[in-house]
């Protein structure tokens, strides 16, 4: 019989319940009435122990009231067992009365779990008990393999879970074998039976990561966690518990229902059609296994587990314990009715203490999973004491991330609030399968555990292992925090974790003040943007963002609001330099040094000992205690690395996963598995000199992760990181010379060095006169005595170095001017005339005044004596270039010109000829000419000579036979060479005169005349 639903004010769940209630009573067989007054009175007394308000109605419709053992005592005593399920009893009308446990359906086959905080968990236990994501409990006695849950809204399902029930279960359902099969895209079947996990027939050691699924054992559970919001817990026997994020709502199908918050449509078969028969629903989700015989379907009128009413009454009386103390504290959150009904079904099959205790466990487990554990309930049921192994005790609420000594385990949780099972007592922690006190914990250094009391010499400190922590002597030691391959962080105190977020995070900041903060910006990277890479590192000092310094992945250095700076960059606090061809270094006067390899995401951050105990951030607390390294800004210690990373996220606009397993990149990137095999070199002879100081185990794991993550580059970065750690112990490993995949090609004659610096090894460094402090890193550099010249892009001798001076580059031997005078580029340095002390009043020679470059008053020369006028350059009409540097010194006052250390009026400048000087008005007689020294003129008269005289000086001569003729050009040229300076160097002019030669005779050839002059003057040209 079916009924069409119409729109009414009632909820769809209520309509579903009403529909099933109207279909009751088709399977009852009325037998001879028998009275049971004693049992009725006993249960009435138990019921009266409850307060009615404790079990207030959850379904608001008056047609479905809810009370504890609602109609049990009022039941018709004349009735006997019939075909009703879940505690239903048969009425005279032939219908099932389902009020006992608020069941619905014609056979009371469904009990809605009306608890207000059941957390959307699908659970199945004891072979035949199921509760859907939306809280519908039902009993289905199938003995086949079934699809428990599947992603039915994807072409390729993200997950599929099969449950394998026992084919022939005799006795207690908890003693029969059960197993699971999990399927994920592009992976072989993962089969779980007991606590053994197999993949493709091969047993896996736990913990294990399979592509984007993480599998581990914690207490009595096998936990399976995926990156896409699917989690599963298996109790090793029959209990399986699934939980998913809200993103999966409406997507699942199978025996767990569709997770759409509407329980009314949970009974949908594999074709998506709603059915009223449990048998039809369950059979549609059966799976035929090729290795097994075909499995029989469940009949529509399958019998209930209780064979008689008296058997059911006995079970109800026993199972009603779940309605009393100590379980009452959980009733509001987890409805006990489905679990009382399942208990009755189980005891009707096998009425023994073990079965009874397991039914109680299932209810308390459901309470623990949602965060409301029933504490110490076993004290009220001594026969249910859990048989834990020696040193273990039963715990009703075990943290998903219990504390450990080494912190090596990545605690990822299961999305269940807490777990029940055997674990260490309070105050003890699990270490290698044994419970020990925290004070007995070994200490870890670079991934290697050391026993209590072990003494370790680390750098300048001597450390003793005490209770899992190193107690180190207080020397002035620096602390170091590292980031390797963008993802692997090691705190100042040595705690290691993996960070895969894509936000901006505080790497380290000063505690209690804002003296400095160093942040990292992570962004998605890789071909499919599935990875996380460091995009930039930013330093802010004294909260002055206008002077913040950012180092980018592209190798740029930005200051303030993004102004690109050239290197080296320095201010009062910060110095940034290109330390090597690989690393950029940032130094802060506060005691911070950072080396950053942008291409491979490596950061080496060092802090002076003055900051010990005064840091916060991803790098931890720098106090020698690993246990508080995950201290949050709120002062709480976070339980997982992802929570710690998320606590130091700067922006809330980006997402940062807090419950995501660490996925093995080798499962995701099969093409890079070859590179991961190259990591084995860490454990072999090449690195063996370092093994006694630093165990390669943890670094080998990191290398494998990095090599599969991004291939060759990440492989070499991981090897370089281990070599760096070895170098901290004075063990040098030149692995690049032996691992061909990591060889470095150095150009321009440079060679690879594991510890080098640009300081003192480049022409630019020599020019700047940099003072080197011993900082070094791996990279390419020139050999001893050679320097890298960025202009020539090769190594050169120092004498061939260009000079880098006042923002310009000068060739070897080139001259420039500075405030102190001319500068010569020699051996990579500009050698300038030292600046002399400014003379005091009266220090300059008589007639001269001092020209200062510091105090340029009105009328003062802005170039000092750099372009001083002299008698020799007066006629040149020179103008000083605007870029001429100012040169201080003593010079002639304004209006006078200098000559041979004296000051002259321009009209009194002497004339020079053939090495001799003549004052104005003096004459010179030669066989050819008579010359008169006159005042210099800025222009020359028109001369009929074949070659015109320069406009900057004139020389007028009067030959003896004619006037207004010029001194021959040859004579001028020879005069100029004889004086050792150019013709334009004259500061005066000559007036030449003479008489006409006799008629008929020619004037003596100019060259002949000059030869006679040479002889008379004794001048040799």
């Amino acid at each position: 019989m079916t009924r069409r639903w119409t729109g009414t004010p009632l909820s769809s769940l209520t309509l579903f319940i009403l529909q099933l209630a109207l279909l009751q009573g088709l399977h009852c067989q009325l037998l001879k009435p028998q009275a049971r007054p004693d049992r009725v009175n006993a249960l009435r007394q138990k019921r009266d122990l409850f307060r009615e308000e404790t079990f207030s109605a959850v379904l608001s419709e008056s047609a479905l009231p809810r009370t504890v053992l609602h109609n049990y005592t009022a039941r018709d005593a004349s009735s006997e067992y019939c075909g009703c399920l879940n505690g239903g009893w048969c009425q005279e009308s032939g219908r099932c009365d389902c009020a006992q446990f608020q069941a619905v359906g014609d056979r009371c086959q469904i009990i809605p779990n009306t608890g207000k905080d059941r957390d959307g968990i699908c659970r199945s236990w004891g072979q035949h008990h199921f509760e859907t994501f939306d809280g519908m409990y039902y009993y289905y006695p199938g003995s086949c393999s079934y699809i428990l849950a599947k992603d039915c809204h994807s072409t390729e399902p993200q997950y599929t879970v099969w449950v394998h029930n026992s084919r022939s279960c005799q006795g207690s359902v908890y003693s029969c074998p059960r197993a699971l099969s999990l399927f994920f895209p592009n992976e072989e079947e993962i089969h779980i039976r007991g606590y053994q996990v197999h993949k493709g027939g091969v047993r896996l050691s736990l913990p294990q990561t399979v592509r984007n699924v993480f599998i581990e054992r914690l207490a009595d559970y096998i936990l399976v966690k995926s990156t896409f919001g699917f989690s599963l817990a298996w109790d090793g026997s029959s209990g399986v518990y699934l939980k998913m994020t809200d993103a999966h709502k409406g997507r699942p199908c199978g025996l767990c229902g569709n997770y759409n918050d509407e329980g009314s449509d949970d009974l949908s078969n594999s074709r998506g059609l709603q059915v009223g028969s449990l048998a039809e629903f369950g059979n549609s989700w059966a799976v035929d296994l090729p290795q097994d015989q075909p499995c029989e379907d469940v009949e529509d009128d399958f019998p209930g587990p209780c064979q008689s009413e008296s058997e059911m009454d006995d079970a109800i009386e026993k199972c009603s314990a779940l309605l009393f103390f100590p379980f009452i504290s959980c009733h509001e959150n987890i409805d006990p009715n489905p679990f009382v009904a399942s208990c009755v079904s189980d005891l009707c099959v096998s009425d023994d203490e073990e079965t009874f205790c397991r039914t109680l466990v299932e209810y308390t487990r459901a309470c623990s999973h949602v965060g409301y554990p029933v504490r110490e309930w076993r004290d009220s049921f001594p026969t249910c004491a859990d048989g834990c192994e020696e040193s273990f005790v039963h715990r009703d609420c075990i943290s998903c991330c219990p504390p450990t000594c080494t912190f090596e385990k990545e605690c990822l949780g299961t999305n269940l609030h807490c777990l029940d099972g055997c674990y260490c007592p309070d105050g003890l922690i699990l270490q290698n399968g044994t419970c020990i006190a925290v004070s007995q914990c070994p200490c870890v250094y670079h991934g290697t555990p050391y026993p209590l009391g072990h003494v370790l010499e680390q750098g300048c400190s001597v450390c003793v292992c005490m209770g899992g922590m190193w107690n180190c002597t207080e020397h002035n030691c620096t602390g170091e925090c590292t980031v390797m391959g963008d993802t692997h962080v090691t705190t100042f105190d040595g705690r290691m974790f993996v960070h895969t977020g894509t936000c901006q995070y505080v790497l380290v900041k000063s505690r209690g003040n804002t003296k400095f903060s160093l942040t990292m910006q992570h962004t998605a990277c890789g071909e499919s943007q599935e990875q996380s890479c460091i995009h930039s590192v930013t330093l802010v000092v004294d909260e002055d963002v206008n002077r913040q310094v950012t180092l980018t992945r592209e190798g740029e250095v930005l200051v303030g609001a993004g102004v690109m700076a050239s290197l080296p960059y320095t201010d009062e606090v910060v110095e940034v330099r290109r330390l090597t061809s690989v690393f950029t270094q940032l130094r802060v006067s506060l005691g911070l040094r950072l080396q950053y390899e942008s291409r491979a995401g490596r950061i080496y951050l060092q802090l002076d000992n003055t900051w010990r105990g005064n840091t916060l951030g991803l790098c931890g607390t720098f106090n020698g205690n690993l246990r508080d390294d995950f201290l949050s800004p709120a002062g709480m210690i976070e339980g997982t690395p992802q929570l710690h990373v998320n606590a130091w996220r700067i922006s809330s606009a980006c997402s940062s996963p807090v419950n995501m397993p660490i996925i093995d990149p080798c499962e995701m990137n099969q093409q890079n598995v070859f590179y991961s095999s190259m990591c084995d070199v860490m454990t072999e002879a090449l690195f063996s000199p370092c093994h006694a100081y630093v165990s390669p185990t943890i670094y080998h794991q990191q290398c494998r992760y990095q090599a599969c993550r991004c291939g060759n580059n990440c492989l070499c970065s991981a090897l370089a990181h281990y070599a760096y750690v070895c170098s901290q112990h004075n063990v040098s490993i030149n692995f690049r010379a032996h691992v061909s995949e990591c060889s470095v090609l150095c150009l321009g004659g440079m060679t690879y060095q594991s510890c080098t610096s640009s300081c003192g090894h480049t022409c630019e460094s020599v020019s700047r006169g940099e003072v080197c402090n011993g900082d070094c890193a791996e990279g390419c550099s020139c050999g001893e005595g050679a320097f890298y010249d960025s202009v020539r892009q090769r190594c050169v001798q120092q004498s061939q170095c260009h000079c880098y001076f006042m923002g310009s580059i000068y060739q070897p031997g080139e001259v420039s001017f500075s405030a102190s005078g001319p500068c010569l580029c020699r051996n990579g340095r500009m050698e300038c005339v030292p600046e002399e002390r400014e003379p005091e009043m009266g220090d300059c020679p008589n007639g001269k005044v001092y020209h200062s470059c510091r105090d340029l008053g009105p009328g003062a020369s802005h170039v000092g004596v750099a372009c001083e006028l002299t008698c020799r350059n007066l006629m040149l009409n020179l103008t000083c270039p605007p870029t001429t540097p100012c040169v201080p010194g003593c010079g002639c006052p304004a209006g006078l010109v200098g000559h041979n250390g004296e000051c002259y009026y321009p009209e009194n400048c002497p004339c020079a000829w053939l090495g001799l000087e003549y004052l104005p008005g003096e004459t010179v007689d030669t066989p050819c000419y008579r010359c008169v020294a006159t005042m210099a003129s800025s222009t020359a008269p028109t001369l009929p000579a074949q070659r015109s005289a320069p406009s900057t000086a004139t020389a007028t001569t009067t030959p003896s036979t004619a006037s207004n003729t010029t001194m021959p050009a040859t004579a001028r040229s020879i005069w100029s060479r004889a004086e050792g300076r150019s013709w334009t160097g004259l500061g005066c002019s000559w007036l030449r005169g003479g008489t006409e030669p006799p008629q008929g005779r020619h004037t003596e050839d100019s060259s002949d005349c000059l030869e006679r002059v040479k002889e008379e003057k004794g001048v040799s040209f």
Side-chain angles (χ1 to χ4, degrees), residues 826-936:
R826 182 162 55 190
N827 292 329
R829 296 186 178 92
M830 293 299 287
E831 299 179 354
C832 302
V833 176
E835 184 177 355
E836 297 181 356
R837 176 186 65 87
E838 291 191 6
E840 298 179 1
M841 188 71 64
D843 284 351
C844 286
N846 290 334
K848 291 194 174 184
V849 295
Y850 184 75
H851 295 274
S852 174
C853 291
R854 297 178 182 175
D855 184 15
L856 300 177
S861 171
H862 288 269
V863 295
V865 295
C867 292
E868 183 182 25
L869 288 175
T870 66
C871 287
R872 295 190 176 276
N873 67 20
L874 183 62
M875 295 302 295
L876 297 181
N877 253 353
L878 292 179
T879 301
C880 274
T883 57
T884 302
C886 183
V887 179
C890 294
C892 294
L896 300 183
V897 296
H899 182 70
N900 292 340
E902 302 291 338
C903 293
Y904 288 79
Y905 287 103
E907 58 270 22
N908 291 337
C909 279
C911 296
W913 187 44
L914 298 179
L916 299 177
E917 291 185 347
Y918 301 89
L919 293 176
E922 289 188 300
T923 62
V924 176
D925 291 321
T926 72
C928 307
Y929 305 95
R930 170 175 293 170
C931 298
V932 180
T934 64
M935 177 180 175

Side-chain angles (χ1 to χ4, degrees), residues 101-113:
F101 301 122
Q102 301 298 300
V104 295
D106 58 342
R107 299 183 63 190
C108 311
Q109 65 263 39
I110 292 179
I111 303 177
N113 189 326

Side-chain angles (χ1 to χ4, degrees), residues 444-446 450 454-464 470-480 490-494 606 612 622 692-695 699 724-730:
V444 178
Y445 178 70
H446 287 296
Y450 294 89
H454 184 85
V455 178
L456 180 69
E457 293 187 10
Q458 165 58 22
C460 61
S461 294
V462 177
C463 303
V464 180
W470 292 107
N471 186 11
C472 301
T473 54
E474 289 293 335
H475 293 303
N476 187 23
C477 301
T478 59
E480 183 173 62
T490 303
T491 67
F492 289 116
D493 296 326
Q606 292 185 348
R612 180 172 294 275
F622 191 19
Y693 300 94
V694 182
S695 170
Y699 296 97
Y724 171 83
V725 175
C726 293
S727 71
Q728 304 296 93
H729 296 267
N730 298 317

Side-chain angles (χ1 to χ4, degrees), residues 759-869:
C759 186
H761 290 85
T762 66
C763 293
E764 188 171 359
S765 175
V766 172
S767 292
R768 298 181 186 279
E770 294 178 341
V771 178
C772 303
N773 50 22
D775 294 338
C776 70
E778 65 167 331
C780 298
S781 66
C782 298
E784 189 68 27
F787 302 84
Y788 184 76
D789 192 328
S790 59
V791 176
R792 293 187 172 93
Q793 296 186 351
R794 60 184 175 88
C795 296
V796 299
Q797 296 300 310
Q798 188 171 357
S799 60
Q800 298 175 300
C801 274
H802 281 74
C803 296
Y804 300 79
F805 182 65
M806 296 179 65
S808 300
I809 301 177
Y810 298 90
Q811 296 183 6
E814 187 174 353
V815 176
S816 176
F817 286 92
S818 71
S820 59
C823 300
L824 173 67
C825 176
R826 182 162 55 190
N827 292 329
R829 296 186 178 92
M830 293 299 287
E831 299 179 354
C832 302
V833 176
E835 184 177 355
E836 297 181 356
R837 176 186 65 87
E838 291 191 6
E840 298 179 1
M841 188 71 64
D843 284 351
C844 286
N846 290 334
K848 291 194 174 184
V849 295
Y850 184 75
H851 295 274
S852 174
C853 291
R854 297 178 182 175
D855 184 15
L856 300 177
S861 171
H862 288 269
V863 295
V865 295
C867 292
E868 183 182 25
L869 288 175

Side-chain angles (χ1 to χ4, degrees), residues 948-963:
S948 302
S951 62
T952 54
T954 60
T956 305
T957 63
T958 305
S960 57
T961 58
S963 61

